[in-house]
Amino acid sequence: MTFAVLSGFLAAVVVPFLPRFGRYGTGRTVALVPAALTAYFGSYIQPVGAGETFRTSYAWAPALRVEFSLHLDGLGLLFALLVSGIGALVAIYAGGYLSGHRHLGRFYGFLLFFMASMLGVVLADNMLTLFVFWELTSLTSYLLIGFDHEREESRKAAWQALLVTGGGGLALLAGLLMLGEAAGTMELSELASRGGDVRSHALYLPILLLILLGAFTKSAQFPFHFWLPSAMEAPAPVSAYLHSATMVKAGVYLLARLSPAMAGTDAWWYLVTLGGTATMVCGAYLALCGTDLKRILAYSTVSALGVLVMLLGMGSVLAAQAAMVFLLAHALYKGALFMVAGAVDHETGSRDVDRLGGLWRAMPVTAAAAVLAALSMAGIAPFFGFLGKEMLLEASLESGGRWFLLPVVVLAGAVFVAVACMAGFRVFFGSSLPTPKQPHEAPLSLWLGPLLASAVGLALGLFASYAAAWIVSPAATAILGERTGHQPLKLALWHGLTPALALSGGSILLGLLVYANRGRILQMNRRLEVLLRHGPAWWYDLALGGLNRFALAQTRLLQTGYLRHYLLVIFAATVGLSGYVLIGSVELPARLLGPEIRFHEAALAGLLLLAALAAVRSSTRLAAVAALGVVGYGVALVFILYGAPDLAMTQFAIETLTVILLVLVLYRLPRYAVLSSRWVRIRDAAFALVTGATVTALVLAAVHGPAYESVSRYYAERSFAEAHGRNIVNVILVDFRALDTLGEITVLAVAAVGVHALLKLRPKNREDAA
Amino acid sequence: MTFYELVQNSLRDSLGTSIPAFAPELLLCATIVMLLLGRMFSGGRSNLAYVIMMVGCLAAFVVAWRTDAPEKPVEIFTGMLVHDSFALFMRRLLLLFVILFTSFTRLSGTPDRQTATEFYTLILGATLGMCLMVSANHMLIVFLGIEMASVPSYALVGVIKERRVSAEAALKFAVFGGGAAGVMLYGISLLVGTLGTAHLPTMSVRLAELLGSSAGSEYHPILVLAGLMIMVGFAFKLSAVPFHFWTPDVFEGATAEVAAFLSIASKAAALALLLRVTLGLGHVPSTLDTPTTVPVRYAVSEDAGTATAESASVSGLVTDSNAALLPARQYSAWLIALFAAVTCTFGNLAAYGQDNMKRLLAYSTIAHAGYMLMPVAAAILLAGTDPEASRFTVAAIGFYIAVYLFMNLGAFALVAFLRNELGSEQLPDYAGLARRSPGFVICAAVVMFSLVGLPPLAGFAAKFAIFAQTYEAGLLSLVVIGVLNTLFSLFYYLRVVKTMVLDPEPEGRPAPTIRIWSNAGFYCALIAVLLVALGVFWNPLFAEAQFAASMLLP
């Protein structure tokens, strides 16, 4: 099984070089890979139908509970068959559609890469394995949508799809991690039995929201549905494969997979069912209003995905079975219709349903495939689509109290009928219309895929009981987890006269009515367009643009390139952080002001303040430096007053040196120029005062002194007793830490030699230059 | 103790334990000397500097590789440094980086022969400082290491003397660095002064006593402020917001090579040091090997008169002490989490509109610093409740650092190689490169995807590991911020790929081709392959990181 999944990646590496060996036949050669995989997974139908499951795993990062593990059960098998089977058809189709394209090899590489990733998604057991493959499908989808990268729209669509699905994927990762934590396992196959823990977990709602975000973005659910129609910029094989049959169903797959553990709560019901319903309605409406064949199909796909999500949200046994039947039926007919749309586009040069007609004379086989698929979509017996629709109606009938679902479902069914009429009949029948290219029958490779897919749809309908027993039932079992077994799935074309049948007939009639009145709907839509302009796509653009503008503004505000602005922000942050601590914790010492302050202390303080003011107010650099020097000397005087003459000596020396250096440097600079405005100066002054206040508070906070004795007492006690010296500093320097002093002297000597050498070198260089 | 005994003891300590453990650093020192001597003889006309540099670093790396980790942490040089598996792991990583970096500078042709000696000497000096940082066990070494790493960096930025931008960047860098170092030193002196020692394990013991005692609350403000000021120094080194301002300007002004060095080695060492200090102060070791030189004696307050002599029997108090340290852990975790969230968000948003690749990567560096700070907060919180999980978090950080090393080196190598071909570091000039150098662009895409953290690349594995551990510590909001930021970062990293792959080639641009079989192309391919390989088989490296973390929190 591992090899089956990974073989696609291997093939993807080899395939790009195939066209070099011959112009023709690449498509058919490549199709062998998915065909072989279909056969391989086909061989599992028997044992999986009998209730067996298969699992393989490899240690990946065991410390983090990450395994590379695969698991095959009914649900996985259904998807795996879809992915590989339709993959084979699409591979043949792409050979015809893109024949002679100079990057055909690359295209096949991406396609197989996608197929392998998608197989990984549906077969993964470890959640992280699933996520890895999930993101890979987003990535390959990006590459495939942007395949015609010469076109601006295609680049934009690819970008949009990647951001929406990739972003959703990250939410999914967070959700899966939390889910793994809540359930105590990262394996999906073990999750089913931990449902109770998950549902009662404190973080159930955030987990659900994050996972739904991932699933809804991937499966183009409202309000994230907008990326899917844009993604129709991709070549037709990609639309047929990724954006109708497989990738967009990954979200549905995930919901189905997590149903046993997470479904059954109110939150699940409302979020999933209502999300699905909203998508269904929205997609149906937009599908009706389109004229571009691919766009119509894309919106009807959105609507169908909504149906699937809604069914999974309902959570009943019947709904789960209905979801699987509908999913299979939809994948077959919608894939076929997309391929037909591509073939029509390829042969006539147009995709506008209003400008095409009577094509059956020129393209009889394509027309046949289209009609078969459209009948299935419209839900006409004996096609598989009929069964899907009937089960859907039954499931909504059964939902009882939530009555509002039923009319919505009937309406959506009607829209499917109308769309089927547009895609399957309008284009091919009626009077011929002139097209950009003279239409003629598509080559074998272009009609084989759709014809086969819709034929399978018919066959599954005719032999519904087998399909039910071997494929749909095991899949539904996997969704339902423990709750299954009571209601074995029976699929038959004739159930007798049930309400569902009546509703089904009604929806067909309604659909025809809608189709007949399409002109009016389009007119009405034009009036509504003003309202619809502010749809999710508009919000997406707004959010993206807003984020961009915000990011730029933030950067321009903070990253000005001026050192003084940087310093301002740094001071503000420091003051903010430490001020938060200092406020309330610092008490002013009681004797800050009082009679015991002596005159010379007050005078010194006044001198310091005056000097500081002078430094700020002076108009020349030299004066400012001099004033700063006064401040420094004043501090040294403070040291003397409080009994630290050695410290004062150091301070004097350093202060003198600094002033001299500053004077030397600043002497050459021009006079001050007042560059800042009055307000800026006030702001700076305020910041300076606040910073100064903070530092003062800091000093006051530090008055407690050390909690532990430092080494000073040690030296104080021993300097006379052991080293016979009364000046402790001297004793430390020449006795206790004599070796350090020696080292320091050495370093200084070396540095002096270096300075001397540099000074000596200079004149010589000048001579060289001269 | 007589003078003779003193010399004997210090010789035994140095030659027996300290010097062998310190051998890689000594080799680096020797290489510096050799470089300077080599310059005297070659006069800057041959590749001698490069050869000496390469040989020296390789020798140091091999020695570090062959050095076995001790059974348990060993304090060397009288407790100044600690020799344990974490220090060893980080030093190996740093030395490996220097080797890769040296070959990268050789391929990109910067520095030229004239400046090679100075350039490599400065690099080695900074590396030496970083090696000290990762094995620091004493606040003195903490400060010394940071300064030893920083000062050569200032000079490196301005190493191209003719460029005014470089000079401006170097000056800004030095001013910022000096300020941050000053603040940090003030913080360190406050803390050390309060606790009466600078030896990290002893500090943690005393801190626990102080916080556990009734007088502890009086010292809260001062401890909090000291912590804040020390954090300023770290924030500067890690370019955490708001102490990040130097990063974009400096990266833009410096050559891509120097920027690579600053963004990788410097960050890695600073992060390791931050872990050492925060975990060291937030956890009382159960065994103290070296008895403290000054007897533990503490005064409740000045009013209470002389100290109640009370020498703590350390081992019995450990559990209590660790409980007493809870506020310290919570405070530092809170502070770091705050920095992480702000840094990450700012970095990612600021990277948006950047057209200059080095600026873009600078902001990306800032953002990654934010990601890396998140698990640090988690590790600190877990240290009190579940040391095993805390060690595991440190392992995740170690793994992230290792992966980050390759990713960012790849990114800067791309910029440098393209600069040589195109004469430009602007993103729009990269448009349509995929037509001419497809192999090279694939490598670029791998690096960028890995920086986003997309699977199945190494960046994903690393990000997953740290996010999982952050979540483990209960910092859900941090994880959410991290994930959101990853989403933001998708835009600008992929914009680079999009420009190279999808955008049409500008007209009139010289047609650059970097063949994948050229040396430069091969170098990038090597890194790309490594990133894929580490993304698929991450267990060996992760196991190594786990071993590295196993000796922390003794």
Side-chain angles (χ1 to χ4, degrees):
Chain A
M1 194 153 55
T2 315
F3 180 72
V5 171
L6 298 183
S7 63
F9 292 121
L10 292 179
V13 176
V14 181
V15 157
F17 301 103
L18 267 185
R20 294 195 187 171
F21 297 109
R23 279 180 58 100
Y24 303 102
T26 311
R28 269 156 265 182
T29 320
V30 172
L32 286 177
V33 179
L37 285 172
T38 319
Y40 171 77
F41 287 115
S43 72
Y44 277 100
I45 292 180
Q46 183 87 20
V48 169
E52 273 187 78
T53 58
F54 301 86
R55 185 170 188 280
T56 49
S57 78
Y58 302 91
W60 195 357
L64 282 164
R65 287 188 300 159
V66 178
E67 279 182 53
F68 181 82
S69 55
L70 302 173
H71 178 244
L72 183 69
D73 63 357
L75 184 62
L77 184 63
L78 170 63
F79 272 93
L81 281 171
L82 270 180
V83 170
S84 53
I86 295 186
L89 300 181
V90 166
I92 297 174
Y93 179 81
Y97 189 82
L98 290 174
S99 94
H101 196 289
R102 66 197 164 103
H103 292 313
L104 186 63
R106 197 187 290 174
F107 179 81
Y108 274 122
F110 293 158
L111 202 69
L112 286 181
F113 201 87
F114 166 76
M115 184 196 70
S117 323
M118 193 63 209
L119 279 177
V121 168
V122 298
L123 294 178
D125 195 14
N126 190 285
M127 293 189 216
L128 216 67
T129 315
L130 180 136
F131 173 75
V132 168
F133 287 121
W134 179 283
E135 289 295 62
L136 281 180
T137 59
S138 296
L139 212 61
T140 35
S141 153
Y142 167 71
L143 292 170
L144 283 168
I145 298 174
F147 185 66
D148 284 333
H149 52 67
E150 266 99 41
R151 289 187 306 130
E152 169 74 30
E153 299 85 41
S154 153
R155 295 203 295 263
K156 209 178 146 211
W159 188 229
Q160 193 182 46
L162 181 65
L163 289 181
V164 174
T165 58
L170 288 168
L172 175 70
L173 174 63
L176 287 179
L177 280 180
M178 288 160 68
L179 179 61
E181 196 74 21
T185 175
M186 290 298 278
E187 304 300 310
L188 289 166
S189 54
E190 292 170 21
L191 206 61
S193 55
R194 316 268 172 100
D197 294 347
V198 175
R199 281 188 292 267
S200 58
H201 197 268
L203 291 173
Y204 173 78
L205 196 62
I207 295 177
L208 180 64
L209 283 174
L210 284 169
I211 288 179
L212 286 185
L213 205 57
F216 276 23
T217 47
K218 194 80 164 179
S219 279
Q221 296 295 296
F222 183 84
F224 307 108
H225 61 274
F226 55 91
W227 71 264
L228 187 56
S230 322
M232 292 302 142
E233 293 297 334
V238 176
S239 308
Y241 191 32
L242 273 71
H243 304 128
S244 79
T246 56
M247 189 187 87
V248 288
K249 297 223 166 75
V252 175
Y253 166 80
L254 187 74
L255 292 181
R257 181 54 86 199
L258 296 178
S259 281
M262 302 193 70
T265 59
D266 276 352
W268 172 278
W269 196 94
Y270 282 109
L271 285 170
V272 180
T273 313
L274 295 186
T277 314
T279 314
M280 183 169 81
V281 173
C282 166
Y285 175 72
L286 291 169
L288 274 184
C289 303
T291 54
D292 178 354
L293 196 49
K294 275 182 87 176
R295 232 160 230 273
I296 295 174
L297 289 174
Y299 279 122
S300 74
T301 304
V302 170
S303 182
L305 291 167
V307 169
L308 287 170
V309 169
M310 181 194 80
L311 283 171
L312 288 170
M314 293 204 275
S316 65
V317 177
L318 199 59
Q321 292 167 340
M324 289 302 105
V325 174
F326 192 86
L327 179 123
L328 186 55
H330 176 260
L332 290 170
Y333 70 66
K334 195 53 71 63
L337 283 176
F338 264 116
M339 287 196 261
V340 166
V344 168
D345 188 15
H346 196 257
E347 300 305 325
T348 65
S350 169
R351 294 193 313 224
D352 191 332
V353 281
D354 292 331
R355 304 220 174 119
L356 292 167
L359 285 177
W360 70 274
R361 290 181 205 91
M363 320 172 62
V365 191
T366 314
V371 168
L372 288 179
L375 286 175
S376 186
M377 181 175 184
I380 311 281
F383 289 89
F384 202 54
F386 167 72
L387 291 168
K389 186 149 126 191
E390 207 171 19
M391 293 212 54
L392 164 66
L393 287 166
E394 272 182 43
S396 348
L397 274 174
E398 196 202 46
S399 68
R402 277 114 182 198
W403 54 267
F404 61 90
L405 288 179
L406 194 60
V408 177
V409 168
V410 173
L411 258 177
V415 173
F416 284 175
V417 174
V419 170
C421 289
M422 279 192 263
F425 297 96
R426 189 186 175 90
V427 173
F428 290 99
F429 300 98
S431 53
S432 296
L433 293 170
T435 52
K437 275 199 258 177
Q438 186 58 35
H440 47 74
E441 182 56 274
L444 169 84
S445 53
L446 283 189
W447 56 253
L448 185 66
L451 197 63
L452 270 178
S454 42
V456 171
L458 178 60
L460 284 178
L462 289 173
F463 303 101
S465 56
Y466 293 102
W470 293 115
I471 298 177
V472 178
S473 208
T477 313
I479 301 179
L480 294 165
E482 294 146 2
R483 286 175 294 154
T484 185
H486 314 294
Q487 252 174 305
L489 170 66
K490 285 221 172 57
L491 278 184
L493 289 171
W494 182 250
H495 287 284
L497 280 173
T498 55
L501 185 65
L503 284 172
S504 180
S507 80
I508 291 175
L509 286 179
L510 192 63
L512 292 174
L513 203 66
V514 169
Y515 176 61
N517 289 312
R518 189 165 155 268
R520 261 179 238 169
I521 295 177
L522 280 179
Q523 251 178 3
M524 192 181 79
N525 178 52
R526 245 165 255 136
R527 264 175 251 150
L528 278 176
E529 239 167 24
V530 188
L531 287 177
L532 290 175
R533 201 177 296 153
H534 300 288
W538 182 83
W539 284 106
Y540 164 85
D541 284 339
L542 186 76
L544 206 61
L547 198 60
N548 225 329
R549 272 193 297 279
F550 173 73
L552 283 178
Q554 171 214 278
T555 313
R556 219 174 300 126
L557 186 71
L558 286 177
Q559 204 78 35
T560 51
Y562 291 118
L563 203 54
R564 51 183 181 273
H565 290 171
Y566 296 171
L567 289 176
L568 203 66
V569 175
I570 289 178
F571 281 136
T574 317
V575 167
L577 279 172
S578 54
Y580 166 82
V581 181
L582 285 170
I583 288 175
S585 65
V586 174
E587 323 149 28
L588 290 179
R591 52 187 186 86
L592 189 64
L593 289 171
E596 61 267 33
I597 291 187
R598 280 166 295 176
F599 171 72
H600 59 270
E601 287 175 348
L604 191 53
L607 177 71
L608 280 171
L609 276 177
L610 275 179
L613 264 180
V616 175
R617 296 293 307 170
S618 75
S619 59
T620 62
R621 287 191 170 80
L622 282 181
V625 170
L628 269 185
V630 173
V631 174
Y633 285 127
V635 171
L637 282 177
V638 173
F639 289 148
I640 291 182
L641 280 180
Y642 293 98
D646 48 346
L647 210 54
M649 287 303 292
T650 320
Q651 174 78 14
F652 277 129
I654 288 188
E655 202 57 49
T656 313
L657 197 65
T658 320
V659 169
I660 290 174
L661 281 176
L662 275 176
V663 168
L664 280 179
V665 173
L666 296 182
Y667 188 66
R668 293 164 189 275
L669 291 179
R671 285 173 67 91
Y672 271 150
V674 179
L675 296 173
S676 43
S677 70
R678 189 185 172 81
W679 279 112
V680 172
R681 290 166 75 87
I682 291 176
R683 180 196 68 189
D684 291 350
F687 264 104
L689 282 177
V690 172
T691 312
T694 312
V695 174
T696 312
L698 187 67
V699 172
L700 291 177
V703 293
H704 275 300
Y708 286 88
E709 279 176 26
S710 61
V711 285
S712 51
R713 176 171 299 191
Y714 173 87
Y715 287 123
E717 282 168 1
R718 282 169 180 72
S719 67
F720 186 71
E722 293 185 5
H724 307 291
R726 286 185 196 283
N727 185 329
I728 300 178
V729 178
N730 281 354
V731 170
I732 291 175
L733 283 179
V734 301
D735 196 307
F736 288 115
R737 309 224 59 116
L739 279 175
D740 291 353
T741 312
L742 185 66
E744 211 168 320
I745 291 171
T746 318
V747 171
L748 281 177
V750 172
V753 169
V755 170
H756 180 70
L758 276 177
L759 291 175
K760 277 285 206 194
L761 275 174
R762 236 177 71 188
K764 201 181 158 215
N765 275 352
R766 272 199 195 141
E767 278 161 31
D768 285 353
Chain B
M1 200 187 290
T2 64
F3 183 69
Y4 176 73
E5 278 170 358
L6 201 73
V7 172
Q8 274 290 313
N9 279 349
S10 87
L11 273 184
R12 199 181 316 119
D13 175 59
S14 306
L15 294 181
T17 37
S18 303
I19 297 282
F22 200 61
E25 283 85 346
L26 290 179
L27 275 170
L28 289 186
C29 296
T31 313
I32 294 179
V33 176
M34 293 304 289
L35 273 172
L36 294 174
L37 286 177
R39 165 82 197 200
M40 279 169 71
F41 294 120
S42 78
R45 277 178 296 276
S46 68
N47 286 321
L48 192 64
Y50 167 72
V51 175
I52 295 174
M53 174 78 178
M54 205 62 189
V55 170
C57 292
L58 276 173
F61 179 70
V62 169
V63 169
W65 193 256
R66 307 269 310 192
T67 310
D68 288 321
E71 305 265 307
K72 59 188 172 66
V74 177
E75 293 194 330
I76 56 176
F77 293 119
T78 63
M80 284 288 178
L81 299 179
V82 63
H83 179 55
D84 61 4
S85 54
F86 185 67
L88 204 56
F89 175 80
M90 288 307 301
R91 280 148 74 203
R92 284 173 184 166
L93 217 53
L94 285 171
L95 290 169
L96 175 67
F97 168 73
V98 175
I99 293 170
L100 289 174
F101 175 77
T102 310
S103 39
F104 159 47
T105 54
R106 175 89 177 108
L107 289 176
S108 73
T110 306
D112 58 15
R113 287 174 182 179
Q114 279 299 324
T115 43
T117 306
E118 299 152 35
F119 188 86
Y120 289 137
T121 311
L122 290 170
I123 292 281
L124 282 180
T127 312
L128 196 61
M130 289 165 193
C131 287
L132 287 182
M133 282 162 79
V134 300
S135 20
N137 195 40
H138 197 277
M139 287 314 261
L140 208 57
I141 294 291
V142 170
F143 184 71
L144 214 63
I146 286 189
E147 282 306 282
M148 270 181 82
S150 300
V151 174
S153 309
Y154 308 149
L156 271 173
V157 172
V159 85
I160 307 180
K161 294 181 205 91
E162 292 81 27
R163 279 186 64 196
R164 299 184 67 130
V165 200
S166 296
E168 186 191 334
L171 192 65
K172 268 185 191 168
F173 195 18
V175 169
F176 266 104
V183 174
M184 187 184 193
L185 192 59
Y186 194 17
I188 290 178
S189 5
L190 274 181
L191 194 62
V192 169
T194 308
L195 296 178
T197 175
H199 180 245
L200 269 173
T202 318
M203 281 173 84
S204 72
V205 175
R206 294 192 183 172
L207 189 61
E209 279 176 18
L210 188 62
L211 290 176
S213 72
S214 54
S217 62
E218 284 182 32
Y219 285 96
H220 272 180
I222 202 71
L223 292 174
V224 162
L225 285 171
L228 187 72
M229 288 168 144
I230 295 177
M231 193 57 206
V232 168
F234 280 116
F236 165 76
K237 278 311 267 182
L238 285 165
S239 54
V241 177
F243 303 96
H244 68 284
F245 287 112
W246 57 276
T247 320
D249 297 352
V250 164
F251 278 27
E252 193 183 358
T255 60
E257 289 80 358
V258 174
F261 185 77
L262 292 181
S263 109
I264 301 167
S266 201
K267 296 283 170 307
L271 202 69
L273 183 60
L274 181 64
L275 278 172
R276 278 237 185 263
V277 172
T278 49
L279 290 183
L281 285 179
H283 175 89
V284 176
S286 50
T287 48
L288 276 178
D289 269 355
T290 44
T292 51
T293 42
V294 184
V296 183
R297 195 190 289 170
Y298 92 97
V300 177
S301 70
E302 285 167 12
D303 303 350
T306 47
T308 46
E310 183 188 344
S311 52
S313 70
V314 175
S315 53
L317 285 170
V318 169
T319 342
D320 292 348
S321 326
N322 273 328
L325 280 175
L326 182 68
R329 280 193 300 271
Q330 275 178 341
Y331 168 67
S332 48
W334 172 84
L335 191 62
I336 289 174
L338 187 71
F339 268 115
V342 176
T343 304
C344 198
T345 313
F346 174 85
N348 277 318
L349 286 179
Y352 259 55
Q354 302 302 329
D355 274 341
N356 183 302
M357 275 303 283
K358 282 192 302 194
R359 277 192 98 83
L360 189 143
L361 287 176
Y363 287 115
S364 139
T365 302
I366 295 174
H368 276 272
Y371 294 132
M372 287 193 270
L373 281 174
M374 290 178 182
V376 174
I380 298 168
L381 283 182
L382 287 171
T385 52
D386 183 358
E388 201 46 54
S390 178
R391 273 177 223 129
F392 198 84
T393 310
V394 175
I397 300 171
F399 182 74
Y400 196 101
I401 294 176
V403 170
Y404 174 77
L405 186 160
F406 294 118
M407 294 194 294
N408 249 20
L409 185 60
F412 280 104
L414 291 166
V415 173
F417 294 149
L418 284 175
R419 172 202 64 203
N420 289 351
E421 290 297 321
L422 298 170
S424 159
E425 289 166 349
Q426 298 296 114
L427 184 56
D429 292 335
Y430 290 5
L433 276 179
R435 315 263 186 311
R436 302 196 181 272
S437 324
F440 186 75
V441 169
I442 289 175
C443 297
V446 168
V447 169
M448 291 297 152
F449 286 149
S450 185
L451 279 168
V452 182
L454 286 184
L457 300 167
F460 165 69
K463 218 171 223 177
F464 169 73
I466 59 167
F467 283 172
Q469 283 313 113
T470 311
Y471 179 67
E472 177 94 20
L475 296 168
L476 182 61
S477 46
L478 265 193
V479 178
V480 171
I481 291 173
V483 169
L484 269 180
N485 268 298
T486 309
L487 176 61
F488 296 156
S489 72
L490 209 65
F491 291 78
Y492 63 88
Y493 288 126
L494 293 195
R495 200 176 128 228
V496 179
V497 180
K498 190 193 109 186
T499 310
M500 286 184 174
V501 177
L502 294 183
D503 285 0
E505 239 174 323
E507 294 190 4
R509 184 183 67 189
T513 38
I514 300 183
R515 287 179 198 291
I516 200 71
W517 296 121
S518 68
N519 285 338
F522 187 72
Y523 189 84
C524 295
L526 190 78
I527 286 181
V529 167
L530 253 171
L531 288 178
V532 177
L534 277 178
V536 179
F537 307 103
W538 32 314
N539 213 30
L541 182 61
F542 199 87
E544 201 64 34
Q546 258 186 302
F547 175 67
S550 64
M551 287 183 200
L552 292 175
L553 305 174

